[in-house]
Each structure stands twice: as C-alpha cells, then as structure tokens.
Amino acid sequence: MGGFTLDDILATRKPRDSWWTVFAVDPVACRLALLTANHTSITPNGLTGLSMLLGVVSAASFAAGSLAAGAALFYLSFTVDCMDGKIARLKGTGSPFGLWLDYVGDRLRVGACAFGFALGQGGVESLWLAAGIVSLDLFRYVNGPQLLNVREAARNRVRAAGGDPVFVEDVLLANPLADPRDASIVDLQSAFRRRFPWFDRFRLFLGRRRVRTHLMSGIEFHAAIFVIAPLFGVAAMFWTALATGALLAAFEAALVYRTWLAAREADRVVPERVKVLV
C-alpha cells in the first residue's frame, strides 16, 4: 500500500524524547510503524484507540493478579501509543482531536492499571498507592502547562522591551546540540547555568543520544511501576512506586526551580535591554 522506508519512519521521531522511549520502545515502535504504514490503512486515531483497548486489558490482567501479563500488555499499549504520532507525521494525517484522544488514552491507561492493581491486591494500602500514582501523574500534566505559561510570560516581558529578541530555548529546540552561549541571543536560563555549570555538558551528552534532560518523567514513572516492577512481584511494585514517585516529584521541583530562576532573569534582562535600545 505504501513505499515507506525505515529511514522515513526514523525521521518522524521527536528530536528529543524520554530515555525509556528512545532505548526501550522506539526500536520496536518504529519497525511496527513501518509495517503499519506500508500494509494497512489504520489511522493515528485508530492506533490510539487500539492502545487504549490494550491498556484496559492490561488493567484487567493486573486486577486478575497476572502481573507479568499486565506488564507485557502495558508495554505493548505504550508501544502502539508511540506509533500513532509517527504515522500522523509520516502521512500528514494528524488532527487536533487526535491530540486530545492521545492525552485521554494515556490517562486512562495509567488510572485503569493503577486501580486494577489495587483491586487485584485488595487492602486500603493498595488503594492509597493507586491514588498516589494517579495524583502524581495528573500533577505533572497540570504542572507542565503552567510552567510553560510562566516561561512565556517571562519571554513576553523581554519582547515588550523591544528589539525582536531570539531566545536560547528556541535555538535549542531547532538544534538540541547548539551552543547556548552566543551573546546575541537572550538566555533566561543563564542563572541556572551559572549555578550548575556542568548542565550544558550533560545536556549535550544526552542530546547526542536523542534523550531529554528530564530523566524521570511520567513515561519512566509508568514504565518502572507497570512494566519492570511487576516482573519481580507485588512488593516490588509498591517499593518501585514509592521510589520513582519521589524521583518524579524531585524532577518536577527542579523544573519549578529552573522556571523561577528564568522569571527572575527576565526581571534583570528587561531594564538592560531598555537601556541598550533607548
């Protein structure tokens, strides 16, 4: 049906992604996406729907006490979820509704599997654990857009000073391996870089491997609890959820701290730009 190559599929990957996706999922998802693109007419929304269905079956397996089956199905569900965006970018068939459906599918998979596990194990502690997993997952999705709003408000303050500024974030988005120390661009992360001078080396090291710096994101959180830990039993799921939940909270706190520094940097940059432009 199509003449796509593996290189075509690889070109649709995100410039940077979670390390779990890059190393443990994309090698499988890209090849499945190639077969799907060339031999089926399934749409990205159809793949999202399939991912949601697999997520529900995974939750049912956890509820039945079949932890290994639940883990395998969760991994397969996420793999299919990684395929829909690739197919959409490859064929130009993405849609705004597809973005919403993808978001709902992710939340459905996590919530269903968390409470499916709690149902299978019984006990108040399992319900509290499930509630904690879902709450942390939702918090990061609420926190992320709000931090973006703060960042955009800080950038708008700099823009209002005039001069059509170019921001480091935009340069790095276009080229993750770029050097951010160019004096001609506005770096609202300069205070963060001064406090953590090793960060750029770390970022470049990960960027060469297509890995983003947020090493404990929701994706790793889900994978640790619902893919890896179930292979080692119930106790492993409890302790893994607690440990990775703490790491996820710490990384989110680091993002808040970095955004706060950027907002303060904007307050410092604006008067300087006004003086120069006047």
Side-chain angles (χ1 to χ4, degrees), residues 33-248:
L34 178 62
L35 291 173
T36 301
N38 281 333
H39 300 289
T40 77
S41 58
I42 189 169
T43 65
N45 287 352
L47 287 169
T48 304
L50 176 59
S51 173
M52 293 168 68
L53 177 61
L54 289 168
V56 171
V57 179
S58 173
S61 297
F62 283 124
S66 300
L67 301 186
L73 286 162
F74 191 98
Y75 174 83
L76 184 57
S77 173
F78 183 71
T79 300
V80 174
D81 187 38
C82 288
M83 292 166 57
D84 59 8
K86 293 176 176 60
I87 297 294
R89 289 186 287 273
L90 181 70
K91 296 186 174 182
T93 53
S95 68
F97 180 76
L99 296 174
W100 175 86
L101 190 64
D102 191 61
Y103 170 82
V104 170
D106 289 344
R107 307 286 69 72
L108 174 66
R109 177 173 55 243
V110 173
C113 288
F115 283 102
F117 171 74
L119 179 63
Q121 300 308 310
V124 175
E125 65 277 5
S126 297
L127 285 173
W128 276 112
L129 186 72
I133 291 170
V134 172
S135 296
L136 266 176
D137 183 59
L138 290 175
F139 170 74
R140 74 182 183 88
Y141 266 98
V142 171
N143 189 45
Q146 294 308 311
L147 291 180
L148 286 176
N149 288 339
V150 173
R151 187 187 73 173
E152 193 59 27
R155 287 157 59 107
N156 285 338
R157 287 203 62 198
V158 177
R159 292 189 185 104
D164 193 21
V166 176
F167 295 94
V168 162
E169 293 93 338
D170 297 331
V171 173
L172 293 179
L173 184 62
N175 178 14
L177 302 182
D179 187 345
R181 292 169 294 184
D182 189 330
S184 66
I185 56 180
V186 177
D187 185 6
L188 296 184
Q189 299 296 333
S190 60
F192 181 83
R193 298 180 201 282
R194 287 194 298 271
R195 285 167 171 78
F196 304 98
W198 50 266
F199 180 77
D200 276 330
R201 295 192 299 274
F202 178 63
R203 178 186 60 79
L204 288 171
F205 173 80
L206 295 178
R208 293 188 185 99
R209 292 154 180 83
R210 209 170 57 83
V211 176
R212 62 192 181 196
T213 55
H214 195 179
L215 294 181
M216 180 51 70
S217 68
I219 291 173
E220 288 83 11
F221 180 56
H222 304 157
I225 297 170
F226 296 117
V227 178
I228 298 174
L231 303 179
F232 299 93
V234 173
M237 291 187 70
F238 271 92
W239 287 109
T240 299
L242 293 174
T244 56
L247 284 173
L248 178 63

Side-chain angles (χ1 to χ4, degrees), residues 7-50:
D7 286 340
D8 294 329
I9 298 293
L10 294 178
T12 66
R13 297 175 302 176
K14 297 175 182 177
R16 288 183 297 171
D17 213 330
S18 71
W19 63 263
W20 174 260
T21 302
V22 170
F23 297 120
V25 178
D26 265 356
V28 177
C30 286
R31 285 156 179 81
L32 290 178
L34 178 62
L35 291 173
T36 301
N38 281 333
H39 300 289
T40 77
S41 58
I42 189 169
T43 65
N45 287 352
L47 287 169
T48 304
L50 176 59

